Amino acid sequence: SQAPLHTLLAQVGVLMWAMRLPLFAIRGVSVVGDVTHYNAATLRANVIPRLRGTFFTLDVNEARTLFEAMPWVRQAVVRRDFPNRLKVQLQEHQAIAFWGAEGDSRLVNSFGEVFEANVGEIESDNLPRLIGPEGQSAQVLAMHHTLGPLLLPLELKLDQLELSPRGGWRALLDTGTALELGGGSAPELVARLERFLKTATQATSRYHRSVEQLASVDLRHTDGYAIRLNGVSTLNADEIKKR
């Protein structure tokens, strides 16, 4: 009975030895998924030297963590590909906006998550800037998606949207116009903005100006809004409040 046991232990020993042979060292990576910032060669050069173990002894979760630590990688699924390769399905961050005060290079992805990457690799050079308390990026992005389309009929665009710590919303248009939107729910902000947009052209034309020449708009009034125009030094807010 001892012989079979010794034989079994010997077989296990041989197997453990074989699993660590250089033959099974990870040598290649196959990449699938919608990937624009990485290819197999880049991943192989950056990740494989940091992998520990062979095809059999590799910790797949540890390998996933290494892939997800790379800039632009949001999620990685790692599988073994016999005898010495890995198949990696990557999901990259899609940069939707900048996050934080002017000069902050952090980005917001399509899920409203904040991430860091090389700004020089951004495909679009016209991303809006979102500002708000930490942990509120998804809420600010959602509000941007809600308010932005309302401006399209007037060919205006939200360049910046900010949520203050007290819950107030401020925006900056691509024309340089500052909008004080006030606090409240998304429907409340939509109602205020729509009220302004319906009469914006009429309000500015009274002073022989265009909507693009608005310096600021305060939508926090319960029964109207107040505007300040570029090139007009003084204005009586009561005169231009729209009811």
Side-chain angles (χ1 to χ4, degrees), residues 54-94:
T54 65
F55 176 86
F56 294 103
T57 63
L58 175 76
D59 185 330
V60 175
N61 288 327
E62 182 178 316
R64 174 181 56 79
T65 300
L66 289 175
F67 283 106
E68 291 181 351
M70 297 186 67
W72 293 107
V73 177
R74 178 178 183 265
Q75 192 175 69
V77 177
V78 181
R79 295 185 176 89
R80 293 178 174 89
D81 186 14
F82 189 82
N84 55 15
R85 297 180 61 84
L86 295 178
K87 282 187 177 180
V88 184
Q89 182 170 359
L90 292 183
Q91 180 188 58
E92 289 192 349
H93 293 287
Q94 180 184 356

mmCIF file of all heavy atoms in Angstrom, residues 54-94:
data_model
loop_
_atom_site.group_PDB
_atom_site.id
_atom_site.type_symbol
_atom_site.label_atom_id
_atom_site.label_comp_id
_atom_site.label_asym_id
_atom_site.label_seq_id
_atom_site.Cartn_x
_atom_site.Cartn_y
_atom_site.Cartn_z
ATOM 1 N N THR A 54 3.126 30.921 -13.926
ATOM 2 C CA THR A 54 3.000 30.385 -15.277
ATOM 3 C C THR A 54 1.521 30.266 -15.625
ATOM 4 O O THR A 54 0.646 30.698 -14.877
ATOM 5 C CB THR A 54 3.656 29.001 -15.360
ATOM 6 O OG1 THR A 54 2.918 28.084 -14.524
ATOM 7 C CG2 THR A 54 5.099 29.045 -14.902
ATOM 8 N N PHE A 55 1.267 29.648 -16.779
ATOM 9 C CA PHE A 55 -0.109 29.440 -17.213
ATOM 10 C C PHE A 55 -0.947 28.774 -16.128
ATOM 11 O O PHE A 55 -2.107 29.120 -15.913
ATOM 12 C CB PHE A 55 -0.109 28.577 -18.482
ATOM 13 C CG PHE A 55 -1.478 28.204 -18.975
ATOM 14 C CD1 PHE A 55 -2.186 29.045 -19.810
ATOM 15 C CD2 PHE A 55 -2.065 27.002 -18.588
ATOM 16 C CE1 PHE A 55 -3.453 28.706 -20.265
ATOM 17 C CE2 PHE A 55 -3.328 26.649 -19.035
ATOM 18 C CZ PHE A 55 -4.021 27.508 -19.873
ATOM 19 N N PHE A 56 -0.353 27.826 -15.405
ATOM 20 C CA PHE A 56 -1.097 27.068 -14.405
ATOM 21 C C PHE A 56 -1.143 27.758 -13.041
ATOM 22 O O PHE A 56 -2.119 27.598 -12.307
ATOM 23 C CB PHE A 56 -0.479 25.667 -14.248
ATOM 24 C CG PHE A 56 -0.614 24.807 -15.463
ATOM 25 C CD1 PHE A 56 0.467 24.611 -16.309
ATOM 26 C CD2 PHE A 56 -1.818 24.201 -15.779
ATOM 27 C CE1 PHE A 56 0.352 23.821 -17.439
ATOM 28 C CE2 PHE A 56 -1.944 23.410 -16.907
ATOM 29 C CZ PHE A 56 -0.858 23.220 -17.744
ATOM 30 N N THR A 57 -0.078 28.480 -12.697
ATOM 31 C CA THR A 57 0.007 29.035 -11.342
ATOM 32 C C THR A 57 -0.380 30.512 -11.271
ATOM 33 O O THR A 57 -0.455 31.077 -10.177
ATOM 34 C CB THR A 57 1.434 28.870 -10.796
ATOM 35 O OG1 THR A 57 2.353 29.621 -11.608
ATOM 36 C CG2 THR A 57 1.846 27.397 -10.789
ATOM 37 N N LEU A 58 -0.637 31.123 -12.389
ATOM 38 C CA LEU A 58 -0.986 32.549 -12.421
ATOM 39 C C LEU A 58 -2.273 32.820 -11.640
ATOM 40 O O LEU A 58 -3.256 32.080 -11.751
ATOM 41 C CB LEU A 58 -1.177 32.996 -13.875
ATOM 42 C CG LEU A 58 -1.664 34.424 -14.095
ATOM 43 C CD1 LEU A 58 -0.532 35.410 -13.856
ATOM 44 C CD2 LEU A 58 -2.217 34.583 -15.511
ATOM 45 N N ASP A 59 -2.265 33.878 -10.831
ATOM 46 C CA ASP A 59 -3.471 34.340 -10.142
ATOM 47 C C ASP A 59 -4.226 35.248 -11.111
ATOM 48 O O ASP A 59 -3.807 36.377 -11.388
ATOM 49 C CB ASP A 59 -3.090 35.102 -8.872
ATOM 50 C CG ASP A 59 -4.307 35.502 -8.038
ATOM 51 O OD1 ASP A 59 -5.385 35.725 -8.634
ATOM 52 O OD2 ASP A 59 -4.170 35.612 -6.808
ATOM 53 N N VAL A 60 -5.348 34.766 -11.648
ATOM 54 C CA VAL A 60 -6.096 35.513 -12.665
ATOM 55 C C VAL A 60 -6.616 36.835 -12.109
ATOM 56 O O VAL A 60 -6.636 37.855 -12.807
ATOM 57 C CB VAL A 60 -7.248 34.652 -13.216
ATOM 58 C CG1 VAL A 60 -8.108 35.459 -14.179
ATOM 59 C CG2 VAL A 60 -6.695 33.425 -13.933
ATOM 60 N N ASN A 61 -7.046 36.837 -10.856
ATOM 61 C CA ASN A 61 -7.544 38.083 -10.263
ATOM 62 C C ASN A 61 -6.432 39.121 -10.127
ATOM 63 O O ASN A 61 -6.655 40.319 -10.329
ATOM 64 C CB ASN A 61 -8.161 37.805 -8.884
ATOM 65 C CG ASN A 61 -9.483 37.079 -8.985
ATOM 66 O OD1 ASN A 61 -10.238 37.278 -9.941
ATOM 67 N ND2 ASN A 61 -9.767 36.229 -8.020
ATOM 68 N N GLU A 62 -5.248 38.660 -9.803
ATOM 69 C CA GLU A 62 -4.110 39.565 -9.714
ATOM 70 C C GLU A 62 -3.774 40.125 -11.100
ATOM 71 O O GLU A 62 -3.461 41.315 -11.244
ATOM 72 C CB GLU A 62 -2.898 38.839 -9.132
ATOM 73 C CG GLU A 62 -1.670 39.725 -8.947
ATOM 74 C CD GLU A 62 -0.508 38.970 -8.320
ATOM 75 O OE1 GLU A 62 -0.742 38.215 -7.351
ATOM 76 O OE2 GLU A 62 0.627 39.132 -8.813
ATOM 77 N N ALA A 63 -3.864 39.271 -12.106
ATOM 78 C CA ALA A 63 -3.610 39.715 -13.476
ATOM 79 C C ALA A 63 -4.650 40.757 -13.899
ATOM 80 O O ALA A 63 -4.315 41.766 -14.529
ATOM 81 C CB ALA A 63 -3.636 38.523 -14.426
ATOM 82 N N ARG A 64 -5.908 40.520 -13.548
ATOM 83 C CA ARG A 64 -6.974 41.491 -13.876
ATOM 84 C C ARG A 64 -6.679 42.842 -13.243
ATOM 85 O O ARG A 64 -6.854 43.889 -13.869
ATOM 86 C CB ARG A 64 -8.319 40.951 -13.393
ATOM 87 C CG ARG A 64 -9.462 41.946 -13.557
ATOM 88 C CD ARG A 64 -10.767 41.348 -13.045
ATOM 89 N NE ARG A 64 -10.652 40.898 -11.658
ATOM 90 C CZ ARG A 64 -10.711 41.713 -10.610
ATOM 91 N NH1 ARG A 64 -10.854 43.029 -10.778
ATOM 92 N NH2 ARG A 64 -10.612 41.231 -9.384
ATOM 93 N N THR A 65 -6.226 42.830 -11.996
ATOM 94 C CA THR A 65 -5.908 44.074 -11.302
ATOM 95 C C THR A 65 -4.804 44.836 -12.025
ATOM 96 O O THR A 65 -4.847 46.064 -12.130
ATOM 97 C CB THR A 65 -5.478 43.785 -9.856
ATOM 98 O OG1 THR A 65 -6.551 43.127 -9.171
ATOM 99 C CG2 THR A 65 -5.140 45.070 -9.112
ATOM 100 N N LEU A 66 -3.816 44.105 -12.548
ATOM 101 C CA LEU A 66 -2.718 44.753 -13.276
ATOM 102 C C LEU A 66 -3.227 45.419 -14.550
ATOM 103 O O LEU A 66 -2.835 46.546 -14.873
ATOM 104 C CB LEU A 66 -1.636 43.729 -13.616
ATOM 105 C CG LEU A 66 -0.786 43.210 -12.454
ATOM 106 C CD1 LEU A 66 0.152 42.111 -12.934
ATOM 107 C CD2 LEU A 66 0.017 44.350 -11.829
ATOM 108 N N PHE A 67 -4.093 44.731 -15.261
ATOM 109 C CA PHE A 67 -4.646 45.320 -16.483
ATOM 110 C C PHE A 67 -5.503 46.543 -16.162
ATOM 111 O O PHE A 67 -5.435 47.563 -16.857
ATOM 112 C CB PHE A 67 -5.472 44.277 -17.245
ATOM 113 C CG PHE A 67 -4.654 43.282 -18.013
ATOM 114 C CD1 PHE A 67 -4.516 41.983 -17.557
ATOM 115 C CD2 PHE A 67 -4.013 43.651 -19.181
ATOM 116 C CE1 PHE A 67 -3.762 41.060 -18.256
ATOM 117 C CE2 PHE A 67 -3.250 42.734 -19.894
ATOM 118 C CZ PHE A 67 -3.121 41.432 -19.434
ATOM 119 N N GLU A 68 -6.321 46.450 -15.129
ATOM 120 C CA GLU A 68 -7.219 47.553 -14.788
ATOM 121 C C GLU A 68 -6.482 48.740 -14.182
ATOM 122 O O GLU A 68 -7.039 49.833 -14.072
ATOM 123 C CB GLU A 68 -8.309 47.057 -13.835
ATOM 124 C CG GLU A 68 -9.286 46.100 -14.495
ATOM 125 C CD GLU A 68 -10.392 45.620 -13.564
ATOM 126 O OE1 GLU A 68 -10.294 45.898 -12.345
ATOM 127 O OE2 GLU A 68 -11.335 44.966 -14.048
ATOM 128 N N ALA A 69 -5.218 48.545 -13.786
ATOM 129 C CA ALA A 69 -4.426 49.650 -13.251
ATOM 130 C C ALA A 69 -3.873 50.533 -14.363
ATOM 131 O O ALA A 69 -3.389 51.640 -14.102
ATOM 132 C CB ALA A 69 -3.275 49.114 -12.400
ATOM 133 N N MET A 70 -3.970 50.079 -15.601
ATOM 134 C CA MET A 70 -3.451 50.869 -16.715
ATOM 135 C C MET A 70 -4.422 51.990 -17.068
ATOM 136 O O MET A 70 -5.645 51.811 -17.002
ATOM 137 C CB MET A 70 -3.218 49.967 -17.931
ATOM 138 C CG MET A 70 -2.180 48.888 -17.703
ATOM 139 S SD MET A 70 -1.798 47.966 -19.199
ATOM 140 C CE MET A 70 -0.997 49.222 -20.186
ATOM 141 N N PRO A 71 -3.897 53.157 -17.432
ATOM 142 C CA PRO A 71 -4.764 54.263 -17.829
ATOM 143 C C PRO A 71 -5.700 53.847 -18.969
ATOM 144 O O PRO A 71 -5.321 53.047 -19.824
ATOM 145 C CB PRO A 71 -3.777 55.345 -18.293
ATOM 146 C CG PRO A 71 -2.502 55.007 -17.608
ATOM 147 C CD PRO A 71 -2.472 53.513 -17.517
ATOM 148 N N TRP A 72 -6.906 54.368 -18.950
ATOM 149 C CA TRP A 72 -7.953 54.144 -19.951
ATOM 150 C C TRP A 72 -8.664 52.808 -19.787
ATOM 151 O O TRP A 72 -9.716 52.608 -20.393
ATOM 152 C CB TRP A 72 -7.413 54.251 -21.387
ATOM 153 C CG TRP A 72 -6.980 55.628 -21.758
ATOM 154 C CD1 TRP A 72 -5.711 56.086 -21.915
ATOM 155 C CD2 TRP A 72 -7.832 56.760 -22.000
ATOM 156 N NE1 TRP A 72 -5.716 57.426 -22.235
ATOM 157 C CE2 TRP A 72 -7.007 57.860 -22.304
ATOM 158 C CE3 TRP A 72 -9.223 56.942 -21.997
ATOM 159 C CZ2 TRP A 72 -7.495 59.124 -22.591
ATOM 160 C CZ3 TRP A 72 -9.721 58.197 -22.280
ATOM 161 C CH2 TRP A 72 -8.868 59.278 -22.580
ATOM 162 N N VAL A 73 -8.138 51.885 -18.983
ATOM 163 C CA VAL A 73 -8.817 50.601 -18.816
ATOM 164 C C VAL A 73 -9.823 50.702 -17.678
ATOM 165 O O VAL A 73 -9.456 50.914 -16.529
ATOM 166 C CB VAL A 73 -7.813 49.461 -18.532
ATOM 167 C CG1 VAL A 73 -8.568 48.152 -18.279
ATOM 168 C CG2 VAL A 73 -6.852 49.306 -19.702
ATOM 169 N N ARG A 74 -11.084 50.531 -17.998
ATOM 170 C CA ARG A 74 -12.132 50.561 -16.970
ATOM 171 C C ARG A 74 -12.354 49.170 -16.385
ATOM 172 O O ARG A 74 -12.526 49.008 -15.185
ATOM 173 C CB ARG A 74 -13.446 51.073 -17.557
ATOM 174 C CG ARG A 74 -14.591 51.071 -16.538
ATOM 175 C CD ARG A 74 -15.879 51.627 -17.128
ATOM 176 N NE ARG A 74 -16.909 51.662 -16.089
ATOM 177 C CZ ARG A 74 -17.813 50.705 -15.903
ATOM 178 N NH1 ARG A 74 -17.834 49.633 -16.692
ATOM 179 N NH2 ARG A 74 -18.704 50.795 -14.923
ATOM 180 N N GLN A 75 -12.351 48.158 -17.247
ATOM 181 C CA GLN A 75 -12.651 46.803 -16.787
ATOM 182 C C GLN A 75 -11.914 45.796 -17.661
ATOM 183 O O GLN A 75 -11.795 45.988 -18.873
ATOM 184 C CB GLN A 75 -14.165 46.562 -16.859
ATOM 185 C CG GLN A 75 -14.657 45.322 -16.153
ATOM 186 C CD GLN A 75 -16.182 45.267 -16.180
ATOM 187 O OE1 GLN A 75 -16.774 45.075 -17.235
ATOM 188 N NE2 GLN A 75 -16.803 45.450 -15.039
ATOM 189 N N ALA A 76 -11.413 44.746 -17.030
ATOM 190 C CA ALA A 76 -10.710 43.686 -17.760
ATOM 191 C C ALA A 76 -11.216 42.324 -17.305
ATOM 192 O O ALA A 76 -11.419 42.096 -16.121
ATOM 193 C CB ALA A 76 -9.202 43.783 -17.532
ATOM 194 N N VAL A 77 -11.412 41.439 -18.267
ATOM 195 C CA VAL A 77 -11.740 40.037 -17.988
ATOM 196 C C VAL A 77 -10.598 39.205 -18.562
ATOM 197 O O VAL A 77 -10.318 39.270 -19.761
ATOM 198 C CB VAL A 77 -13.079 39.630 -18.621
ATOM 199 C CG1 VAL A 77 -13.346 38.145 -18.372
ATOM 200 C CG2 VAL A 77 -14.216 40.488 -18.077
ATOM 201 N N VAL A 78 -9.931 38.452 -17.691
ATOM 202 C CA VAL A 78 -8.727 37.702 -18.084
ATOM 203 C C VAL A 78 -9.021 36.208 -18.057
ATOM 204 O O VAL A 78 -9.533 35.683 -17.069
ATOM 205 C CB VAL A 78 -7.544 38.028 -17.151
ATOM 206 C CG1 VAL A 78 -6.295 37.258 -17.590
ATOM 207 C CG2 VAL A 78 -7.270 39.539 -17.141
ATOM 208 N N ARG A 79 -8.654 35.530 -19.150
ATOM 209 C CA ARG A 79 -8.810 34.074 -19.223
ATOM 210 C C ARG A 79 -7.506 33.457 -19.735
ATOM 211 O O ARG A 79 -6.766 34.080 -20.491
ATOM 212 C CB ARG A 79 -9.962 33.696 -20.168
ATOM 213 C CG ARG A 79 -11.339 34.140 -19.686
ATOM 214 C CD ARG A 79 -12.423 33.622 -20.624
ATOM 215 N NE ARG A 79 -13.764 33.953 -20.144
ATOM 216 C CZ ARG A 79 -14.403 35.073 -20.452
ATOM 217 N NH1 ARG A 79 -13.825 35.967 -21.255
ATOM 218 N NH2 ARG A 79 -15.612 35.300 -19.984
ATOM 219 N N ARG A 80 -7.258 32.223 -19.323
ATOM 220 C CA ARG A 80 -6.081 31.488 -19.792
ATOM 221 C C ARG A 80 -6.325 30.947 -21.199
ATOM 222 O O ARG A 80 -7.444 30.558 -21.532
ATOM 223 C CB ARG A 80 -5.755 30.329 -18.843
ATOM 224 C CG ARG A 80 -5.297 30.755 -17.456
ATOM 225 C CD ARG A 80 -5.048 29.517 -16.599
ATOM 226 N NE ARG A 80 -4.464 29.856 -15.307
ATOM 227 C CZ ARG A 80 -5.172 30.153 -14.224
ATOM 228 N NH1 ARG A 80 -6.506 30.157 -14.281
ATOM 229 N NH2 ARG A 80 -4.566 30.439 -13.085
ATOM 230 N N ASP A 81 -5.260 30.931 -22.009
ATOM 231 C CA ASP A 81 -5.325 30.378 -23.363
ATOM 232 C C ASP A 81 -4.134 29.431 -23.527
ATOM 233 O O ASP A 81 -3.005 29.865 -23.720
ATOM 234 C CB ASP A 81 -5.279 31.517 -24.390
ATOM 235 C CG ASP A 81 -5.486 31.027 -25.812
ATOM 236 O OD1 ASP A 81 -5.932 29.865 -25.980
ATOM 237 O OD2 ASP A 81 -5.187 31.787 -26.750
ATOM 238 N N PHE A 82 -4.385 28.127 -23.365
ATOM 239 C CA PHE A 82 -3.325 27.113 -23.351
ATOM 240 C C PHE A 82 -2.472 27.188 -24.612
ATOM 241 O O PHE A 82 -3.004 27.386 -25.706
ATOM 242 C CB PHE A 82 -3.973 25.725 -23.206
ATOM 243 C CG PHE A 82 -2.992 24.619 -22.964
ATOM 244 C CD1 PHE A 82 -2.505 24.365 -21.697
ATOM 245 C CD2 PHE A 82 -2.531 23.842 -24.023
ATOM 246 C CE1 PHE A 82 -1.603 23.349 -21.479
ATOM 247 C CE2 PHE A 82 -1.623 22.831 -23.805
ATOM 248 C CZ PHE A 82 -1.159 22.589 -22.534
ATOM 249 N N PRO A 83 -1.134 27.029 -24.484
ATOM 250 C CA PRO A 83 -0.412 26.664 -23.256
ATOM 251 C C PRO A 83 0.240 27.845 -22.519
ATOM 252 O O PRO A 83 0.657 27.683 -21.393
ATOM 253 C CB PRO A 83 0.666 25.726 -23.788
ATOM 254 C CG PRO A 83 1.009 26.306 -25.137
ATOM 255 C CD PRO A 83 -0.283 26.869 -25.686
ATOM 256 N N ASN A 84 0.356 28.997 -23.172
ATOM 257 C CA ASN A 84 1.124 30.063 -22.521
ATOM 258 C C ASN A 84 0.639 31.467 -22.899
ATOM 259 O O ASN A 84 1.432 32.393 -22.996
ATOM 260 C CB ASN A 84 2.619 29.924 -22.866
ATOM 261 C CG ASN A 84 2.873 29.884 -24.367
ATOM 262 O OD1 ASN A 84 1.997 30.231 -25.157
ATOM 263 N ND2 ASN A 84 4.058 29.459 -24.761
ATOM 264 N N ARG A 85 -0.651 31.590 -23.097
ATOM 265 C CA ARG A 85 -1.184 32.894 -23.487
ATOM 266 C C ARG A 85 -2.364 33.283 -22.591
ATOM 267 O O ARG A 85 -2.943 32.448 -21.889
ATOM 268 C CB ARG A 85 -1.651 32.885 -24.949
ATOM 269 C CG ARG A 85 -0.538 32.620 -25.961
ATOM 270 C CD ARG A 85 -1.085 32.622 -27.375
ATOM 271 N NE ARG A 85 -1.680 33.912 -27.731
ATOM 272 C CZ ARG A 85 -0.971 34.956 -28.177
ATOM 273 N NH1 ARG A 85 0.346 34.858 -28.309
ATOM 274 N NH2 ARG A 85 -1.565 36.081 -28.489
ATOM 275 N N LEU A 86 -2.688 34.566 -22.665
ATOM 276 C CA LEU A 86 -3.871 35.077 -21.982
ATOM 277 C C LEU A 86 -4.804 35.725 -23.000
ATOM 278 O O LEU A 86 -4.348 36.363 -23.952
ATOM 279 C CB LEU A 86 -3.492 36.129 -20.931
ATOM 280 C CG LEU A 86 -2.661 35.678 -19.732
ATOM 281 C CD1 LEU A 86 -2.357 36.883 -18.845
ATOM 282 C CD2 LEU A 86 -3.371 34.591 -18.935
ATOM 283 N N LYS A 87 -6.089 35.545 -22.787
ATOM 284 C CA LYS A 87 -7.093 36.273 -23.557
ATOM 285 C C LYS A 87 -7.691 37.338 -22.643
ATOM 286 O O LYS A 87 -8.177 37.013 -21.560
ATOM 287 C CB LYS A 87 -8.203 35.329 -24.045
ATOM 288 C CG LYS A 87 -7.820 34.486 -25.236
ATOM 289 C CD LYS A 87 -9.019 33.708 -25.759
ATOM 290 C CE LYS A 87 -8.648 32.916 -27.015
ATOM 291 N NZ LYS A 87 -9.814 32.145 -27.537
ATOM 292 N N VAL A 88 -7.622 38.572 -23.083
ATOM 293 C CA VAL A 88 -8.076 39.690 -22.249
ATOM 294 C C VAL A 88 -9.152 40.461 -22.985
ATOM 295 O O VAL A 88 -8.939 40.930 -24.109
ATOM 296 C CB VAL A 88 -6.909 40.636 -21.900
ATOM 297 C CG1 VAL A 88 -7.387 41.731 -20.960
ATOM 298 C CG2 VAL A 88 -5.759 39.861 -21.281
ATOM 299 N N GLN A 89 -10.307 40.554 -22.358
ATOM 300 C CA GLN A 89 -11.385 41.384 -22.902
ATOM 301 C C GLN A 89 -11.383 42.699 -22.131
ATOM 302 O O GLN A 89 -11.593 42.723 -20.919
ATOM 303 C CB GLN A 89 -12.745 40.698 -22.762
ATOM 304 C CG GLN A 89 -13.880 41.513 -23.371
ATOM 305 C CD GLN A 89 -15.171 40.717 -23.454
ATOM 306 O OE1 GLN A 89 -15.211 39.545 -23.067
ATOM 307 N NE2 GLN A 89 -16.220 41.342 -23.956
ATOM 308 N N LEU A 90 -11.127 43.791 -22.841
ATOM 309 C CA LEU A 90 -11.009 45.096 -22.205
ATOM 310 C C LEU A 90 -12.207 45.978 -22.512
ATOM 311 O O LEU A 90 -12.764 45.942 -23.609
ATOM 312 C CB LEU A 90 -9.737 45.819 -22.680
ATOM 313 C CG LEU A 90 -8.379 45.267 -22.266
ATOM 314 C CD1 LEU A 90 -7.283 46.180 -22.779
ATOM 315 C CD2 LEU A 90 -8.291 45.124 -20.768
ATOM 316 N N GLN A 91 -12.567 46.771 -21.525
ATOM 317 C CA GLN A 91 -13.519 47.855 -21.738
ATOM 318 C C GLN A 91 -12.796 49.141 -21.343
ATOM 319 O O GLN A 91 -12.352 49.283 -20.198
ATOM 320 C CB GLN A 91 -14.781 47.688 -20.881
ATOM 321 C CG GLN A 91 -15.786 48.820 -21.087
ATOM 322 C CD GLN A 91 -16.937 48.741 -20.100
ATOM 323 O OE1 GLN A 91 -16.734 48.755 -18.896
ATOM 324 N NE2 GLN A 91 -18.153 48.654 -20.617
ATOM 325 N N GLU A 92 -12.655 50.057 -22.277
ATOM 326 C CA GLU A 92 -11.953 51.297 -21.992
ATOM 327 C C GLU A 92 -12.917 52.373 -21.500
ATOM 328 O O GLU A 92 -14.113 52.330 -21.751
ATOM 329 C CB GLU A 92 -11.236 51.808 -23.245
ATOM 330 C CG GLU A 92 -10.037 50.967 -23.641
ATOM 331 C CD GLU A 92 -9.191 51.663 -24.696
ATOM 332 O OE1 GLU A 92 -9.640 52.677 -25.256
ATOM 333 O OE2 GLU A 92 -8.070 51.193 -24.945
ATOM 334 N N HIS A 93 -12.347 53.334 -20.784
ATOM 335 C CA HIS A 93 -13.106 54.517 -20.416
ATOM 336 C C HIS A 93 -13.396 55.333 -21.674
ATOM 337 O O HIS A 93 -12.533 55.504 -22.524
ATOM 338 C CB HIS A 93 -12.301 55.408 -19.460
ATOM 339 C CG HIS A 93 -12.051 54.809 -18.117
ATOM 340 N ND1 HIS A 93 -13.044 54.688 -17.155
ATOM 341 C CD2 HIS A 93 -10.920 54.305 -17.555
ATOM 342 C CE1 HIS A 93 -12.516 54.147 -16.061
ATOM 343 N NE2 HIS A 93 -11.250 53.898 -16.277
ATOM 344 N N GLN A 94 -14.608 55.833 -21.773
ATOM 345 C CA GLN A 94 -14.944 56.784 -22.825
ATOM 346 C C GLN A 94 -15.026 58.160 -22.180
ATOM 347 O O GLN A 94 -15.926 58.438 -21.391
ATOM 348 C CB GLN A 94 -16.276 56.429 -23.486
ATOM 349 C CG GLN A 94 -16.677 57.392 -24.593
ATOM 350 C CD GLN A 94 -18.049 57.079 -25.159
ATOM 351 O OE1 GLN A 94 -18.675 56.088 -24.767
ATOM 352 N NE2 GLN A 94 -18.527 57.914 -26.051
#
